[in-house]
Amino acid sequence: MPAILLNDGKVLLHREDERYSLPEAQPESIVAEGEKFDFEIEGKDYTAVGVTGCREIEGMEWIGVRDSWSRLDAGAHCAVGKGSELVFWARNNRFCGGCGAEMKRSTEISLKCPECGREIFPSVSPAIIVLVKRDDKALLVHARQFTRPFFGLVAGFVETGETLEQCVAREVKEETSLDITDIRYEGSQPWPYPMQLMIGFTARYAGGEITFADGELTEGGFFDKDHLPPLPGNGSIARRMIEKWIEEMKENINAKTK
Ligand SMILES: [Zn+2]
């Protein structure tokens, strides 16, 4: 069964030339720390284990969970994401938040306090991401936190007591000062960095001038499909949504010229 060995945001991958894959079993020289989760994704079994120390192993390489994305096939990366969420969750909930006693594994995906009985399950943080359309253009922005010089979509965390639609409107308003309307669900993607769920929407521009008053964004504007800035990496929901919009724009042009 493929082993997902995780430590400090990194996963151990087997490397042969430039091809990466998950090791088929846990290398004997690696000692597991205790967090171990077995699960199945699309009919394939995996085991995820938390380990300490990124030991060097011949023919293997420790790669950041996020960077493993471009090196693994979609199914394997999905499994790495799930495994890293579970191990992160277990490591960050060693003690009961109610009474401070040491938590014990209760079921495959729950921890229970032997003193007060408090039981907890892995929880993800929902975040929204939105493609705002204005005529034949889309709003693309560069955020201070982006590590590479690309332009993506407005995104942000859902706050307590807020609907997803309210969150979408608030994030766009806060980050760009724009008003939007016609907010529609587009799709979602697990975002295991460390435990989020990215929920995608489209919306239409309704008014206002762009300003980046709250400081999260540094640049941005409305771009047409023929004058796009560098885009987010393949595989991200942002990239998928932008590519879908480009296809829509091409279809619009084809429909007009017929
Ligand atoms: Zn307790």
Side-chain angles (χ1 to χ4, degrees), residues 53-207:
C54 290
R55 291 189 55 159
E56 293 306 320
I57 296 178
E58 179 82 28
M60 300 213 180
E61 216 174 289
W62 289 96
I63 302 281
V65 168
R66 196 156 176 170
D67 289 330
S68 71
W69 192 345
S70 56
R71 293 175 167 87
L72 295 172
D73 63 56
H77 182 264
C78 189
V80 169
K82 184 178 173 80
S84 78
E85 290 194 332
L86 290 168
V87 168
F88 176 88
W89 167 73
R91 285 197 163 177
N92 285 278
N93 288 282
R94 283 185 174 152
F95 300 96
C96 175
C99 76
E102 194 169 349
M103 299 294 274
K104 301 282 178 222
R105 185 76 72 85
S106 175
T107 68
E108 191 52 44
I109 53 151
S110 73
L111 297 173
K112 194 167 185 177
C113 174
E115 296 296 324
C116 72
R118 181 190 172 99
E119 189 171 17
I120 58 164
F121 297 83
S123 56
V124 292
S125 305
I128 64 85
I129 184 160
V130 55
L131 186 145
V132 180
K133 303 172 188 180
R134 183 178 188 179
D135 303 323
D136 63 345
K137 294 183 173 146
L139 178 64
L140 300 175
V141 295
H142 182 77
R144 204 171 290 280
Q145 61 158 31
F146 290 171
T147 50
R148 298 190 180 103
F150 65 80
F151 283 61
L153 303 176
V154 171
F157 283 105
V158 178
E159 292 186 354
T160 47
E162 190 173 54
T163 66
L164 294 172
E165 292 83 357
Q166 286 167 341
C167 176
V168 171
R170 175 183 56 74
E171 285 289 344
V172 172
K173 185 76 176 176
E174 280 178 7
E175 294 188 7
T176 67
S177 310
L178 297 178
D179 295 309
I180 55 170
T181 183
D182 198 15
I183 296 166
R184 292 176 193 216
Y185 176 69
E186 180 75 24
S188 65
Q189 180 177 45
W191 198 248
Y193 317 112
M195 291 189 80
Q196 297 156 31
L197 176 67
M198 204 59 99
I199 307 158
F201 292 85
T202 59
R204 277 191 303 116
Y205 167 84

Side-chain angles (χ1 to χ4, degrees), residues 3-23:
I4 301 165
L5 296 156
L6 295 147
N7 182 49
D8 205 16
K10 291 187 173 153
V11 59
L12 187 68
L13 298 184
H14 186 257
R15 180 179 178 174
E16 200 174 341
D17 300 323
E18 289 304 305
R19 287 199 315 276
Y20 291 84
S21 58
L22 287 170

Side-chain angles (χ1 to χ4, degrees), residues 10 26 28-29 41 60 85 104 149 154 231 243 256:
K10 291 187 173 153
Q26 184 176 331
E28 281 176 11
S29 58
I41 289 186
M60 300 213 180
E85 290 194 332
K104 301 282 178 222
V154 171
L231 298 177
E243 283 180 353
K256 275 180 196 160

Side-chain angles (χ1 to χ4, degrees), residues 229-248:
L231 298 177
N234 284 325
S236 64
I237 188 170
R239 179 63 175 255
R240 240 173 35 225
M241 287 169 63
I242 294 167
E243 283 180 353
K244 187 178 169 198
W245 166 77
I246 292 171
E247 287 307 309
E248 282 170 16

